[in-house]
Amino acid sequence: MSKYKVAVYAICKNEEKFAERWMNSMSEADGIFVSDTGSTDSTVSKLRELGAAVYRISLDEWRFDTARNISLDFVPDDYDICVCTDLDEVFESGWRAELERVWTDKTTRARYSYTWSFKPDGTPDITFYADKIHARHGFKWVHPVHEVLEYIGDGHELFARANNIKLNHYPDSTKSRSQYLPLLELSVREDPDDDRNMHYLGREYMYRHRWEDCIATLKRHLALKSATWNDERAASMRFIARAYKALGDTASASAWLFRAIGEAPYLREAYAESAILAYEQGDFLKTYYMVTEAVRITAKPKTYINEGFAWDSTLYDIGSIAAYNIGFKESAALLAETALTLSPQNERIKQNADFFKKSIDK
């Protein structure tokens, strides 16, 4: 018999194609509660047929935090643990048992592995640790978009590390992100000193190729007194570098990547982006140096977002080419061999690996 009563809750709109998959994934919970925000397809009927309690809600002004707080309110008070997911997310089986294994009567929240995106070959791309599993009471959602859970309970939070819980995100590419930018701009207006909101707004400008706005906003993020998290500061610096690169200012891009390395030298991403930039410029010595520094970091940190290009074959591939061009043939062969193990179907990498090996034999 389970010690804890577990609820899954979510908000949704027009997600009939995900309903059955999501319900199967969430079926390890004791109850599933969904707030539908205006579906015009069969989402509601499908969810109800599969056993979810579905409530129709309507907001005069759309905010994700308001919708999620309403959704949480529908979870009965006698539940112990609440699991917030979206219908385009899927738990790998066994998540409930792992949650019960790590949860205690004093736990307030659990952290678990989250894959935000996958590469075309099905391997993980962007991954990080999420914390949307929480105790039934003592929490509220805040911020109009990129909403987060805020602890409002008594005493200090106690996190449980649920390393064996894996939640995977399979987004609907047809859905628009158009509402994100105005909601992020609203978030910053509501709380201009919130460093997280400022960082996300700058990142959104980057996604939309508004390079000057991206640079200005992320510089504002770095200037905030509350912006003290090195990992996120380094990300802002990398995004500023991307914007300068897009504007054709590679010197400034390179300088900002060096700053990002200095800010968080334990993260691979800044080394990787610096290596890629150097490779594109034909600077093979710098490429090789940045690759060797990056691959010294052998384990994915659990503190921040891990981007796929820093952990796939990319670094070993460009590193092998750079090594060969500066006369390090043995290193070129070793790096190419590693690249091939990570991308065994890549014919170009295979040809390079064979070529570098033969060059040593000669």
Side-chain angles (χ1 to χ4, degrees):
M1 183 177 178
S2 297
K3 183 177 179 181
Y4 299 104
K5 196 172 180 181
V6 179
V8 167
Y9 69 104
I11 59 175
C12 73
K13 182 179 180 180
N14 292 334
E15 299 187 78
E16 60 182 2
K17 61 185 176 182
F18 297 137
E20 184 173 359
R21 184 186 67 182
W22 182 76
M23 286 294 293
N24 289 338
S25 170
M26 303 298 144
S27 63
E28 297 177 26
D30 298 300
I32 300 176
F33 306 88
V34 181
S35 294
D36 184 86
T37 62
S39 291
T40 55
D41 60 9
S42 64
T43 300
V44 172
S45 60
K46 279 191 172 184
L47 289 172
R48 285 175 175 163
E49 287 171 7
L50 294 166
V54 185
Y55 307 88
R56 292 184 181 272
I57 66 172
S58 177
L59 279 70
D60 293 332
E61 294 184 6
W62 176 258
R63 296 175 60 112
F64 282 94
D65 54 354
T66 302
R68 293 211 189 273
N69 283 324
I70 293 171
S71 179
L72 177 56
D73 285 342
F74 287 124
V75 178
D77 287 340
D78 64 339
Y79 278 82
D80 303 299
I81 305 172
C82 293
V83 181
C84 181
T85 66
D86 290 323
L87 269 71
D88 58 2
E89 296 172 336
V90 177
F91 272 124
E92 295 184 11
S93 63
W95 63 269
R96 167 67 178 270
E98 172 68 1
L99 180 58
E100 295 236 31
R101 186 185 70 81
V102 301
W103 198 271
T104 72
D105 292 342
K106 294 182 179 180
T107 302
T108 59
R109 204 173 339 190
R111 288 197 172 107
Y112 50 93
S113 176
Y114 185 68
T115 301
W116 168 255
S117 62
F118 291 84
K119 296 177 184 176
D121 64 2
T123 57
D125 188 14
I126 296 176
T127 63
F128 52 92
Y129 272 72
D131 55 9
K132 296 181 181 180
I133 298 177
H134 59 93
R136 171 62 185 88
H137 301 285
F139 287 92
K140 71 173 182 179
W141 290 92
V142 295
H143 303 316
V145 69
H146 289 301
E147 62 282 10
V148 295
L149 276 169
E150 181 179 278
Y151 182 63
I152 56 174
D154 298 327
H156 297 288
E157 277 209 79
L158 179 63
F159 285 82
R161 179 80 72 180
N163 293 326
N164 293 326
I165 293 180
K166 299 184 186 301
L167 184 64
N168 299 322
H169 180 227
Y170 302 100
D172 184 351
S173 59
T174 65
K175 284 200 170 183
S176 171
R177 287 177 55 93
S178 60
Q179 62 186 333
Y180 277 52
L181 182 56
L183 288 174
L184 275 168
E185 290 172 333
L186 173 62
S187 288
V188 169
R189 289 196 301 273
E190 288 182 348
D191 191 353
D193 294 324
D194 186 287
D195 55 283
R196 179 182 177 276
N197 288 342
M198 193 71 72
H199 171 76
Y200 277 116
L201 177 58
R203 187 181 71 171
E204 190 68 23
Y205 285 138
M206 179 187 71
Y207 289 155
R208 294 168 183 262
H209 297 179
R210 289 174 55 173
W211 307 121
E212 299 288 359
D213 289 331
C214 166
I215 292 168
T217 304
L218 292 176
K219 285 182 177 179
R220 285 172 64 195
H221 166 249
L222 294 170
L224 289 172
K225 291 182 179 179
S226 58
T228 59
W229 187 18
N230 298 78
D231 299 30
E232 194 160 80
R233 288 178 60 84
S236 281
M237 293 171 185
R238 289 193 293 110
F239 298 158
I240 290 171
R242 291 183 193 179
Y244 274 122
K245 179 181 175 181
L247 292 170
D249 187 351
T250 54
S252 292
S254 180
W256 277 97
L257 288 172
F258 271 113
R259 289 186 62 176
I261 290 170
E263 191 74 31
Y266 46 84
L267 299 178
R268 258 200 194 193
E269 279 70 16
Y271 295 108
E273 291 201 53
S274 187
I276 292 168
L277 178 61
Y279 179 77
E280 291 170 347
Q281 295 176 309
D283 187 342
F284 295 121
L285 185 60
K286 182 179 176 182
T287 302
Y288 180 74
Y289 172 76
M290 287 298 176
V291 167
T292 55
E293 290 300 301
V295 300
R296 291 179 195 275
I297 302 168
T298 57
K300 288 184 178 181
K302 297 175 180 177
T303 57
Y304 201 65
I305 297 168
N306 298 289
E307 300 198 51
F309 65 83
W311 297 93
D312 60 15
S313 62
T314 301
L315 286 175
Y316 299 97
D317 180 26
I318 65 173
S320 68
I321 297 169
Y324 182 81
N325 276 276
I326 60 177
F328 294 172
K329 294 183 178 180
E330 291 84 358
S331 293
L334 288 170
L335 286 164
E337 195 63 36
T338 303
L340 187 59
T341 63
L342 294 169
S343 293
Q345 306 303 319
N346 189 309
E347 282 300 317
R348 181 188 57 77
I349 292 177
K350 185 177 185 302
Q351 291 172 7
N352 282 356
D354 290 341
F355 175 79
F356 296 148
K357 186 176 183 300
K358 290 175 181 178
S359 72
I360 296 173
D361 295 339
K362 289 181 181 180

